[in-house]
Amino acid sequence: MKSSKESISSPTPPAALERLFAEADIQFNGQRPWDIQVHSRDVYRRILVKGSLGLGESYMDGEWDTEQLDETLRRLIRLAFERKHSAWGQFQLFKSYLKYMLTNPQSRTGASKSVRKHYELGADLFEAMLDPTMTYSCAYWKNASTLETAQLAKLELICRKLDLQPGQKLLDIGCGWGSMARYAAEHHGVSVVGITNSPDQVKRARKECSGLPVRIELMDYRDLEGSYDNIVSIGMFEHVGVRNYPGFFRIVDHFLKDDGLFLLQTIGTMRTAHSPDPWIHKYIFPHGKLPSAKQLTTALEPYFTLKDWQCFGQDYDRTLMAWWDNYHSAWPNLNDHYDERFYRMWKYYLLYCAGFFRSHYGNLWQLVLAKPARQHGYRPIC
């Protein structure tokens, strides 16, 4: 869907802004698919005043377009990472550091509000975008040709990495709509406890797992109880927050049996940052925070030994493009519930994330962790 507005040839962009975008090989009103077609003179002001937030908001408002938004954003993301080493970039990072280290936006109350704002936008939206398993995390495309088979392959890969055995008890932290819990119970004979902060997810997950040895609870991970043979967390760690990383691993350590395994799947970033992208924070994932390898290893070191670390960020690029295709195709059936600004916001979100992984500054990680007390060896599986 493109804006009906005509590109404008004037006023010309400020020279400083033109030079900045030229560093990413992007032109205003250029002829290439990733060049930005400007529909309003306000675009330049909004970018200069609000940076990446202004860029995203002006796109939502139809003030600019590009034929290949994912490629435009890939180029800008790479530029943003490269410029973070400048004096101005370091100043911005320092301000973010103060804000996010002096507060804890991912407290119990904050985490619950953040999760509900995103995951309860509407069942029709996620049903249209996702595959039939309703798996909202990176798929595994190694031997798959469709989104559904790639998601099932990811679930099977996780079960194999955890070496699930019939009769074991599995904890799923951040269970979503229950795809992991259902798959593990059906195909590997384990009982599962799944927890999430989203009432909508609890309701659907309980329905999807009906008749299986699965219990789904509306619960924060800090309120857990019991003991588990294995623990898994898929796409939830991004909501934990850097101040809570040590506490998260301490809790997993407490509830995992000595001979068990913990698999953590999370998006990761190449360089340590102390705050999320302003646009993503405001419109998509409030207070979301992507860990760096340094932050992860520092937080887990007191509790776990690392048995395996697999990276397949390119698979998330392909997953996001599949979600975008599904969303775009389903839009005629969704536009009674969501306006065009939402359409452009969700498009920007999906293609921004695809560009993030394609830039190679973002990655997808699966870590297999064990307690030092574990007696059994471990052979990596991929």
Side-chain angles (χ1 to χ4, degrees):
M1 181 179 295
K2 293 185 178 180
S3 171
S4 59
K5 301 177 182 178
E6 295 291 333
S7 294
I8 60 174
S9 57
S10 62
T12 58
L17 194 62
E18 194 168 35
R19 287 195 301 268
L20 177 65
F21 276 63
E23 290 183 37
D25 194 25
I26 295 172
Q27 298 176 5
F28 292 100
N29 297 320
Q31 302 301 312
R32 298 164 302 180
W34 59 85
D35 285 335
I36 290 176
Q37 308 305 314
V38 177
H39 307 308
S40 168
R41 67 187 66 233
D42 289 337
V43 168
Y44 307 131
R45 176 188 56 80
R46 295 178 78 174
I47 296 173
L48 286 170
V49 172
K50 301 175 73 175
S52 63
L53 178 59
L55 181 74
E57 288 181 336
S58 61
Y59 182 82
M60 290 166 59
D61 292 334
E63 294 181 351
W64 64 272
D65 278 295
T66 176
E67 291 181 30
Q68 198 174 348
L69 180 59
D70 48 324
E71 177 61 16
T72 304
L73 294 172
R74 180 195 72 81
R75 290 166 178 267
L76 292 173
I77 288 167
R78 285 195 64 86
L79 177 64
F81 272 93
E82 291 163 2
R83 290 181 65 87
K84 281 180 180 177
H85 288 292
S86 67
W88 173 250
Q90 292 300 314
F91 174 65
Q92 296 297 322
L93 288 175
F94 178 70
K95 290 198 302 180
S96 298
Y97 175 82
L98 290 179
K99 176 181 178 181
Y100 279 83
M101 296 307 290
L102 295 178
T103 63
N104 185 14
Q106 295 90 0
S107 64
R108 282 177 174 82
T109 302
S112 179
K113 290 180 179 179
S114 298
V115 166
R116 295 181 188 195
K117 180 175 180 177
H118 183 87
Y119 295 97
E120 300 191 10
L121 284 168
D124 55 347
L125 171 65
F126 292 108
E127 287 171 356
M129 185 179 82
L130 304 178
D131 73 291
T133 71
M134 289 290 287
T135 303
Y136 192 23
S137 57
C138 180
Y140 189 56
W141 293 88
K142 183 177 180 180
N143 296 309
S145 58
T146 67
L147 180 60
E148 182 178 9
T149 57
Q151 292 290 13
L152 292 171
K154 187 267 301 294
L155 298 177
E156 177 61 23
L157 177 66
I158 290 172
C159 291
R160 291 174 59 212
K161 286 184 175 183
L162 288 171
D163 191 25
L164 297 184
Q165 300 297 321
Q168 289 183 334
K169 189 175 182 180
L170 174 69
L171 171 65
D172 184 358
I173 301 176
C175 65
W177 291 280
S179 62
M180 181 72 226
R182 177 176 179 174
Y183 187 90
E186 282 186 336
H187 296 276
H188 292 269
V190 299
S191 63
V192 187
V193 174
I195 65 169
T196 173
N197 276 324
S198 165
D200 284 1
Q201 289 186 336
V202 168
K203 182 178 179 181
R204 184 178 184 116
R206 286 175 175 171
K207 180 179 179 182
E208 292 296 320
C209 297
S210 177
L212 294 169
V214 174
R215 179 163 57 91
I216 305 293
E217 298 291 346
L218 182 66
M219 182 186 296
D220 189 277
Y221 69 91
R222 286 160 283 206
D223 298 320
L224 279 166
E225 57 185 28
S227 179
Y228 302 91
D229 296 293
N230 296 288
I231 299 178
V232 64
S233 183
I234 307 168
M236 173 271 180
F237 193 75
E238 297 88 337
H239 301 287
V240 169
V242 65
R243 288 190 64 183
N244 303 308
Y245 290 172
F248 177 86
F249 286 109
R250 182 175 63 250
I251 288 168
V252 173
D253 170 70
H254 179 75
F255 292 104
L256 180 66
K257 292 182 179 180
D258 283 349
D259 213 36
L261 293 169
F262 171 42
L263 186 141
L264 175 67
Q265 177 172 310
T266 181
I267 299 169
T269 185
M270 177 179 167
R271 294 177 182 162
T272 299
H274 297 288
S275 63
D277 174 85
W279 187 88
I280 292 290
H281 164 71
K282 182 174 181 179
Y283 291 99
I284 306 299
F285 293 116
H287 308 304
K289 171 67 179 67
L290 303 183
S292 66
K294 179 181 178 180
Q295 290 172 320
L296 267 181
T297 54
T298 300
L300 67 85
E301 183 177 337
Y303 307 102
F304 293 102
T305 60
L306 179 61
K307 298 297 183 180
D308 187 36
W309 190 321
Q310 184 181 4
C311 309
F312 47 100
Q314 71 280 357
D315 291 48
Y316 223 146
D317 181 4
R318 187 170 177 181
T319 301
L320 284 153
M321 296 308 293
W323 290 344
W324 156 243
D325 287 341
N326 288 345
Y327 170 67
H328 179 65
S329 297
W331 181 248
N333 298 319
L334 294 172
N335 61 13
D336 286 342
H337 299 152
Y338 308 92
D339 60 19
E340 182 169 344
R341 192 169 191 262
F342 181 92
Y343 171 86
R344 294 178 66 88
M345 178 190 77
W346 207 253
K347 176 181 179 180
Y348 193 88
Y349 154 56
L350 294 174
L351 298 186
Y352 175 96
C353 292
F356 174 63
F357 289 104
R358 205 175 304 162
S359 75
H360 302 297
Y361 282 95
N363 213 325
L364 189 283
W365 297 329
Q366 277 190 359
L367 285 69
V368 179
L369 305 171
K371 292 185 175 185
R374 177 180 166 87
Q375 296 299 308
H376 288 80
Y378 185 82
R379 185 182 297 277
I381 297 169
C382 61

